[in-house]
C-alpha cells in the first residue's frame, strides 16, 4: 500500500476511546439513576463517591443522609446531618427538618420536636413548611401537648404584614408605615407590603412617596391589579388627568374573577368617577352572594346607582343596608336625602366611604365633642379622612380638623400636627391653631414651626394640664387677639399669648366663665402679653382697637392674673434683674 495512502487512511479513522471525567457530578448522576431504579445500595455508594470528590459541598452530604434515611438507617443519617451543621455549613437549616423526620421515625418525639422547632425558627426559605405542619400535628398527638413555638422565621414577614394591615384598618398609619418599611427592607419583592405601604403614605397625605412606592410594584409586576387601582386613585387626587385617563382605559376593560379584586376595582372606579363601571361590579358581587351580608357593600352599590340616576335601585340598596346594620347612621341619612337627589336639589354622595359626609360628621361632633375620640378610633375611614383633610382640605376644613384632632390626641395625631407645623406651604394662621391645640393637650416639647418663610422653635413658657375639649368660644377669643396683634407682635410673642390663654383655661376648667365679651377677653390677653415682654401698652389703646370698655378689659385682666399669677411673676423678674449675678 502506498505510504501516503496509509497515512491518509490513518488520519481519517475515528478514535475508539470516549474520554469522560470522574467527578462529583458524574457520581451524582449515577446515584440519581440508581434511585430511579430503587437501587438504594448503589445510590448510596455513588453519593459517597460524590462526597469524596467534593467533601465541602453540603448538598452531597444531605443526599447521602437522605438515602440512609430511606434505607431506615436513621442514626447514620443523623450523624451525617449533624456533621453538616457542625462542620460544613451551619446555615443549611433544612438539615433540622431532616433530623426531625428521622427522630420521628425513631419514635424519639421530643428530639423530633426540638429539631423541628429549630428548623421553623431559623429557616428563612420555608421550603418544607407544609410538611412541617403535618409533623407538628403528629407530634401534638404523640406528645399530647402543643409544641412551644415562638416564631416561624420564613413567615416572619407574613405575620408582620398582617399586623401592618391591622394597623392600617385601625387608622394607625405611622405605625403601619414603620412595619411595612422594615418588611420591604428585609424582603424587597414582597409586593403586597409595597402596595399597603403606598396606601399608608396616601392616607398620611404623602402623595409623592405613595406614587413612587406603587410605581415600584408595577415595575416588578405590571399587571398587579391592587397597584393599578391604587395608582388610579393617587392620580385622581393629585389632578394628573393624562396619566389617569391612560390607566382608566385599561381598568375599564378589566374583569377580575376573585371577589377581593372585584371589590377593589369597583371602589376604585367609583372614587375616580366611573360610576357606571363601579355599579356593574358591585352588582356582580351582590349576585354571587359571598359578600351580600355586608351592609357597606349595599351602601357602595347605592352610591354608584345614585350617581348614574338609578334612584329606585339606590333606595333598595340603602334599605337593605339599613336592615343589615340597624345601628348605623349612614343608610337612614342617605334615605332621607334621596328625595332631594331625585328632585336635583341635592347631589349624590361624592365618596365611597361607609360613614357620614365630612361636614355632617363635624356638625354632629360640635354638638357632642366627647364622641370624637371613640369614633375616630373605631372607624379607620374617618381617621384617614381626617389626615387627608389636614393635608388637602380647604382652609375651613383644615381648621375644623385641627381642632377635632386635639380631642383624639394620640401619638400619631401629635406627630401629624407637628409635621403640619413644619410645612412651609401651610397658612400661618392654621399653624397658630395647631400650636394652640398641641399646647392645650399638654405637649410641652419645643415646636419647630415654619412661620413667615423661616423656621422657628417655640419653647413652652408654662406648664398646663390637658384640656379634654376645645370650645369654639375659646377659639373666637384667640382669633380676635391674633387679628389685632398680627402686625404689632412677633411670632414668639403671639405664641406666648396662646399659651397664656391655654394656661388660664386649663387652670379654671371646667369652671370656665361665659365668654360673652370675646373682644374684652382678647384685649386682656394682649395686655398681659405686652407686659410679659416689657412693651408699653395702655388701656386706652386697647379700648380703641378692640372696641371694648376699659372696665371690661381691666376686669378680665384681673381674672387672668388671679388664676395665673402674672403680676407676681413679673415683679419677681424685675427684682432678679436688678441684682445680676457677679
Amino acid at each position: 500500500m502506498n505510504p501516503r495512502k496509509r497515512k491518509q487512511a490513518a488520519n481519517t479513522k475515528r478514535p475508539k476511546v470516549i474520554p469522560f471525567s470522574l467527578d462529583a457530578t458524574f457520581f451524582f448522576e449515577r446515584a440519581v439513576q440508581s434511585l430511579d431504579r430503587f437501587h438504594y445500595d448503589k445510590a448510596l455508594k455513588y453519593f459517597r463517591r460524590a462526597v469524596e470528590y467534593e467533601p465541602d459541598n453540603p448538598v452531597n452530604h444531605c443526599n447521602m443522609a437522605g438515602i440512609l434515611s430511606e434505607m431506615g438507617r436513621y442514626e447514620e443519617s443523623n450523624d451525617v446531618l449533624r456533621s453538616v451543621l457542625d462542620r460544613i455549613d451551619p446555615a443549611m437549616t433544612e438539615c433540622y427538618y431532616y433530623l426531625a423526620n428521622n427522630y420521628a421515625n425513631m419514635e424519639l418525639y421530643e428530639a423530633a420536636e426540638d429539631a423541628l422547632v429549630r428548623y421553623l425558627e431559623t429557616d428563612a426559605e420555608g421550603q418544607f413548611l407544609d410538611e412541617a405542619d403535618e409533623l407538628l400535628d403528629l407530634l401534638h398527638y404523640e406528645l399530647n401537648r402543643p409544641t412551644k413555638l415562638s416564631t416561624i422565621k420564613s413567615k416572619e414577614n407574613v405575620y408582620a404584614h398582617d399586623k401592618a394591615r391591622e394597623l392600617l384598618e385601625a387608622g394607625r398609619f405611622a405605625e403601619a408605615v414603620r412595619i411595612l418599611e422594615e418588611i420591604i427592607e428585609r424582603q424587597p419583592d414582597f409586593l403586597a407590603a409595597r402596595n399597603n405601604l403606598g396606601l399608608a403614605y396616601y392616607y398620611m397625605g404623602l402623595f409623592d412617596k405613595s406614587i413612587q412606592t406603587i410605581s415600584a410594584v408595577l415595575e416588578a409586576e405590571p399587571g398587579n391589579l391592587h397597584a393599578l387601582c391604587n395608582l388610579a386613585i393617587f392620580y385622581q387626587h393629585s389632578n394628573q388627568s393624562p396619566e389617569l385617563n391612560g390607566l382608566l382605559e385599561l381598568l375599564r376593560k378589566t374583569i377580575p374573577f376573585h371577589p377581593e379584586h372585584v371589590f377593589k376595582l369597583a371602589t376604585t372606579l367609583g372614587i375616580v368617577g366611573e360610576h357606571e363601571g363601579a355599579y356593574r361590579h358591585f352588582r356582580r358581587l351582590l349576585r354571587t352572594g359571598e359578600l351580600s351580608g355586608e351592609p357597606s357593600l349595599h351602601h357602595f352599590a347605592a352610591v354608584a346607582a345614585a350617581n348614574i340616576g338609578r334612584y329606585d335601585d339606590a333606595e333598595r340598596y340603602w334599605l337593605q343596608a339599613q336592615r343589615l346594620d340597624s345601628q348605623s347612621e349612614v343608610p337612614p341619612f342617605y334615605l332621607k336625602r334621596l328625595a332631594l337627589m331625585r328632585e336635583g336639589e341635592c347631589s349624590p354622595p361624592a365618596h365611597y366611604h361607609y360613614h357620614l359626609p365630612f361636614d355632617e360628621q363635624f356638625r354632629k361632633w360640635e354638638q357632642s365633642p366627647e364622641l370624637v375620640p371613640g369614633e375616630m378610633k373605631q372607624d379607620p375611614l374617618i381617621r384617614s379622612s381626617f389626615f387627608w383633610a389636614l393635608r388637602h382640605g380647604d382652609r375651613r376644613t383644615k381648621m375644623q380638623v385641627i381642632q377635632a384632632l386635639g380631642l383624639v390626641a394620640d401619638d400619631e395625631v401629635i406627630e401629624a400636627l407637628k409635621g403640619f407645623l413644619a410645612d412651609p406651604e401651610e397658612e400661618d394662621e392654621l399653624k397658630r391653631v395647631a400650636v394652640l391645640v398641641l399646647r392645650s393637650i399638654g405637649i410641652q416639647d419645643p415646636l419647630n414651626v415654619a412661620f413667615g418663610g423661616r423656621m422657628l422653635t417655640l419653647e413652652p413658657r408654662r406648664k398646663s394640664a390637658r384640656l379634654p375639649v376645645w370650645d369654639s368660644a375659646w377659639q373666637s377669643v384667640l382669633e380676635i387677639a391674633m387679628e389685632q396683634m398680627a402686625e404689632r407682635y412677633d411670632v414668639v410673642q403671639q405664641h406666648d399669648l396662646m399659651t397664656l390663654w391655654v394656661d388660664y383655661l386649663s387652670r379654671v376648667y371646667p369652671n370656665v366663665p361665659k365668654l360673652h365679651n370675646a373682644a374684652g377677653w382678647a384685649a386682656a390677653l394682649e395686655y398681659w402679653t405686652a407686659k410679659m415682654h416689657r412693651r408699653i401698652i395702655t388701656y386706652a389703646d386697647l379700648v380703641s382697637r378692640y372696641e371694648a370698655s376699659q372696665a371690661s378689659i381691666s376686669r378680665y385682666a384681673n381674672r387672668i392674673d388671679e388664676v395665673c399669677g402674672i403680676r407676681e411673676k413679673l415683679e419677681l423678674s424685675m427684682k432678679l434683674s436688678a441684682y445680676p449675678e457677679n
Side-chain angles (χ1 to χ4, degrees), residues 167-178 200-201 203-206 376-377 380 383-384 387 390-391 405 408-420 438 441:
L167 290 169
L168 276 178
E169 291 169 1
R172 307 193 72 82
F173 308 117
E175 293 177 57
V177 163
R178 178 182 57 79
Y201 285 145
Y203 288 141
M204 295 173 72
L206 305 173
M376 275 194 67
K377 289 175 181 177
R383 188 181 180 91
S384 66
F387 284 109
L390 180 64
R391 289 290 183 180
L405 289 176
V408 180
D410 58 27
D411 291 341
E412 190 166 33
V413 163
I414 292 166
E415 290 305 313
L417 290 176
K418 286 182 177 180
F420 183 84
L438 285 168
I441 62 178

Side-chain angles (χ1 to χ4, degrees), residues 62 64 112 176 364 416 476 487 498 567:
C62 286
M64 188 166 65
K364 186 181 75 168
S476 298
E487 303 298 327
M498 289 190 291
R567 185 176 283 108

Side-chain angles (χ1 to χ4, degrees), residues 428-440:
D428 287 355
E429 181 60 31
L430 292 173
K431 290 174 187 173
R432 290 188 180 97
V433 178
V435 169
L436 175 68
V437 167
L438 285 168
R439 293 303 187 214
S440 74

Side-chain angles (χ1 to χ4, degrees), residues 385-405:
S385 66
F386 266 62
F387 284 109
W388 166 262
L390 180 64
R391 289 290 183 180
H392 306 288
D394 57 29
R395 186 181 187 280
R396 176 176 171 273
T397 300
K398 287 183 179 182
M399 183 75 75
Q400 291 175 314
V401 167
I402 291 168
Q403 295 179 55
L405 289 176

Side-chain angles (χ1 to χ4, degrees), residues 340-369:
L340 298 175
M341 294 183 206
R342 294 179 191 272
E343 298 298 324
E345 298 177 16
C346 172
S347 298
H351 62 81
Y352 280 74
H353 297 316
Y354 190 51
H355 59 69
L356 295 176
F358 208 63
D359 288 343
E360 187 67 23
Q361 193 76 50
F362 268 122
R363 277 193 287 272
K364 186 181 75 168
W365 287 342
E366 284 176 350
Q367 298 172 2
S368 304

Side-chain angles (χ1 to χ4, degrees), residues 210-220 231 235:
S210 63
I211 290 179
Q212 290 171 9
T213 304
I214 296 301
S215 297
V217 175
L218 292 171
E219 286 178 13
L231 194 59
Y235 284 154

Side-chain angles (χ1 to χ4, degrees), residues 87-141:
R87 296 189 302 102
I88 300 171
D89 188 0
M92 203 161 184
T93 50
E94 58 263 45
C95 289
Y96 292 112
Y97 172 73
Y98 302 142
L99 283 167
N101 259 312
N102 286 342
Y103 284 130
N105 283 311
M106 298 165 70
E107 298 186 4
L108 300 174
Y109 298 117
E110 292 192 356
E113 182 184 50
D114 291 342
L116 189 60
V117 167
R118 187 75 177 271
Y119 167 72
L120 290 171
E121 292 184 348
T122 59
D123 184 79
E125 300 300 323
Q127 180 182 355
F128 300 109
L129 269 185
D130 291 339
E131 295 86 346
D133 282 340
E134 293 180 7
L135 188 50
L136 280 173
D137 289 339
L138 171 66
L139 295 175
H140 188 178
Y141 174 78

